[in-house]
Amino acid sequence: PTRGQIDVVVQRYRRHTISNITTSLCLFEILYRSNVWTRSMDVAVIDPSGFTPPYDHHFCEGLATQGCRVTLYTSGDWEGWPAETYTREPHFYAQTNRLPDSIADSPLHTGIKGIEHVQDMTRLLLRLRRRAPDIIHVQWLPLPLVDTAYVYALNRVAPTVFTVHDSNPFHGAPT
């Protein structure tokens, strides 16, 4: 589809939603039913902390087997989940992952990771502006107060969807 075709479908759908952030399955279904879906759709999937490797892997693989070009921007250990049909970019937390084990469980580690998260999200935003994917799918928002602004910025790059995995943040725990 052309970028204009996607925008028309997304705008039509947004008239029926409260916000610009929609759930992934609804938007993908709208695109599919509107005949905008094609085998060459470029999809950027974002899971900064790699919270759900099995889910991310199967989601990306499913899109790729439908002919989409999928790139997953993430971090963490993905042993046992080979990216054979999609691209996995280790974009997040390169510096934090190199910190010594002695500070891994300290508040210092959390602070450093938070700062690096902001830097990495900014780099990703710039990267996606250059790449111009057809759609951006955000799996998790590790820092919701900060990440919400990034989601709105990403939505200016391409239609952006967010999957709500846990409607009670951190399963009700304070952190």
Side-chain angles (χ1 to χ4, degrees), residues 95-110:
Q95 303 304 318
T96 305
N97 291 338
R98 287 189 219 135
L99 292 173
D101 291 338
S102 60
I103 64 167
D105 293 325
S106 74
L108 179 62
H109 180 270
T110 303

Side-chain angles (χ1 to χ4, degrees), residues 12-118:
R12 199 174 320 139
Y13 178 69
R14 283 188 183 150
R15 285 187 219 134
H16 305 290
T17 63
I18 294 171
S19 72
N20 289 339
I21 304 170
T22 60
T23 59
S24 60
L25 294 177
C26 291
L27 185 55
F28 282 115
E29 184 176 343
I30 295 290
L31 292 170
Y32 180 77
R33 288 184 180 183
S34 301
N35 295 319
V36 172
W37 187 277
T38 69
R39 298 212 177 277
S40 61
M41 186 174 275
D42 185 9
V43 181
V45 179
I46 304 169
D47 183 357
S49 293
F51 283 137
T52 53
Y55 182 93
D56 292 347
H57 173 74
H58 291 293
F59 178 71
C60 292
E61 216 174 43
L63 290 173
T65 59
Q66 294 300 309
C68 295
R69 293 180 315 274
V70 181
T71 303
L72 171 62
Y73 297 93
T74 191
S75 68
D77 181 15
W78 286 80
E79 188 175 325
W81 304 101
E84 296 171 352
T85 58
Y86 63 95
T87 302
R88 185 180 309 122
E89 293 278 338
H91 180 85
F92 292 92
Y93 314 125
Q95 303 304 318
T96 305
N97 291 338
R98 287 189 219 135
L99 292 173
D101 291 338
S102 60
I103 64 167
D105 293 325
S106 74
L108 179 62
H109 180 270
T110 303
I112 293 170
K113 188 173 183 178
I115 291 167
E116 188 173 15
H117 179 76
V118 170

